[in-house]
Coordinates of all heavy atoms in Angstrom, one line a residue:
Y42 N 16.2 -56.0 3.1 CA 16.5 -56.0 4.5 C 16.8 -54.6 5.0 O 17.5 -54.4 6.0 CB 17.7 -56.9 4.8 CG 17.5 -58.3 4.4 CD1 18.1 -58.8 3.2 CD2 16.7 -59.2 5.2 CE1 17.8 -60.1 2.8 CE2 16.5 -60.5 4.8 CZ 17.0 -61.0 3.6 OH 16.8 -62.2 3.2
F43 N 16.3 -53.6 4.3 CA 16.5 -52.2 4.7 C 16.2 -51.9 6.1 O 17.0 -51.2 6.8 CB 15.7 -51.3 3.8 CG 15.9 -49.8 4.1 CD1 17.1 -49.2 3.6 CD2 15.0 -49.1 4.8 CE1 17.2 -47.8 3.9 CE2 15.1 -47.7 5.0 CZ 16.3 -47.1 4.6
R44 N 15.1 -52.5 6.7 CA 14.8 -52.2 8.0 C 15.8 -52.7 9.0 O 15.8 -52.2 10.2 CB 13.4 -52.7 8.4 CG 13.3 -54.3 8.4 CD 11.9 -54.8 8.7 NE 11.0 -54.3 7.7 CZ 10.1 -53.4 7.9 NH1 10.0 -52.9 9.1 NH2 9.2 -53.1 7.0
N45 N 16.7 -53.5 8.6 CA 17.7 -54.1 9.5 C 19.0 -53.2 9.6 O 20.0 -53.6 10.2 CB 18.1 -55.5 9.1 CG 17.0 -56.5 9.4 OD1 16.1 -56.2 10.2 ND2 17.0 -57.6 8.7
Y46 N 19.0 -52.1 8.9 CA 20.2 -51.2 8.8 C 20.0 -50.0 9.6 O 18.9 -49.3 9.5 CB 20.5 -50.9 7.4 CG 21.0 -52.0 6.6 CD1 20.2 -52.8 5.9 CD2 22.4 -52.3 6.5 CE1 20.6 -53.9 5.1 CE2 22.9 -53.3 5.8 CZ 22.0 -54.1 5.1 OH 22.5 -55.2 4.4
G47 N 21.0 -49.6 10.4 CA 21.0 -48.2 10.9 C 21.5 -47.4 9.8 O 22.4 -47.8 9.0
M48 N 20.9 -46.2 9.7 CA 21.3 -45.3 8.6 C 21.8 -43.9 9.1 O 21.4 -43.5 10.2 CB 20.0 -45.0 7.7 CG 19.4 -46.2 7.1 SD 20.4 -47.1 6.0 CE 20.6 -45.9 4.7
A49 N 22.7 -43.3 8.4 CA 23.3 -42.1 8.8 C 23.6 -41.2 7.7 O 23.7 -41.6 6.5 CB 24.5 -42.4 9.6
W50 N 23.8 -39.9 8.0 CA 24.3 -38.9 7.1 C 25.6 -38.4 7.6 O 25.7 -38.0 8.8 CB 23.3 -37.8 6.9 CG 22.0 -38.2 6.2 CD1 20.8 -38.6 6.7 CD2 21.8 -38.2 4.7 NE1 19.9 -38.9 5.7 CE2 20.5 -38.7 4.5 CE3 22.6 -37.9 3.6 CZ2 20.0 -38.8 3.2 CZ3 22.1 -38.0 2.4 CH2 20.8 -38.5 2.2
F51 N 26.5 -38.2 6.7 CA 27.8 -37.6 7.0 C 28.0 -36.5 6.0 O 27.3 -36.4 4.9 CB 29.0 -38.6 6.8 CG 29.0 -39.6 7.9 CD1 28.1 -40.7 7.9 CD2 30.0 -39.6 8.9 CE1 28.1 -41.7 8.9 CE2 30.0 -40.6 9.9 CZ 29.1 -41.6 9.9
R52 N 28.9 -35.6 6.2 CA 29.3 -34.6 5.2 C 30.7 -34.3 5.2 O 31.4 -34.5 6.2 CB 28.5 -33.3 5.5 CG 28.8 -32.6 6.8 CD 27.8 -31.4 7.0 NE 28.1 -30.7 8.2 CZ 27.4 -29.7 8.7 NH1 26.3 -29.3 8.1 NH2 27.7 -29.1 9.8
Q53 N 31.2 -33.8 4.1 CA 32.6 -33.5 3.9 C 32.8 -32.2 3.1 O 32.4 -32.2 2.0 CB 33.4 -34.6 3.3 CG 34.9 -34.5 3.2 CD 35.6 -35.8 2.8 OE1 35.0 -36.7 2.2 NE2 36.8 -35.9 3.1
A54 N 33.3 -31.2 3.8 CA 33.6 -29.9 3.1 C 35.0 -30.0 2.5 O 35.9 -30.8 3.0 CB 33.6 -28.8 4.1
P55 N 35.3 -29.2 1.5 CA 36.7 -29.2 0.9 C 37.8 -29.0 1.9 O 37.7 -28.1 2.7 CB 36.6 -28.1 -0.1 CG 35.1 -27.9 -0.4 CD 34.4 -28.3 0.8
G56 N 38.8 -29.9 1.9 CA 39.9 -29.8 2.8 C 39.6 -30.2 4.2 O 40.5 -30.1 5.1
S57 N 38.5 -30.8 4.4 CA 38.1 -31.3 5.8 C 37.8 -32.7 5.8 O 37.7 -33.4 4.8 CB 36.8 -30.5 6.2 OG 37.1 -29.1 6.3
E58 N 37.8 -33.3 7.0 CA 37.4 -34.7 7.2 C 35.9 -34.9 7.0 O 35.1 -33.9 7.1 CB 37.9 -35.2 8.6 CG 39.4 -35.2 8.8 CD 39.8 -35.7 10.1 OE1 38.9 -36.0 11.0 OE2 41.0 -35.9 10.3

Side-chain angles (χ1 to χ4, degrees):
Y42 302 102
F43 179 77
R44 66 181 62 250
N45 291 339
Y46 289 89
M48 302 297 296
W50 291 93
F51 290 75
R52 66 186 181 186
Q53 187 168 20
S57 299
E58 295 183 351

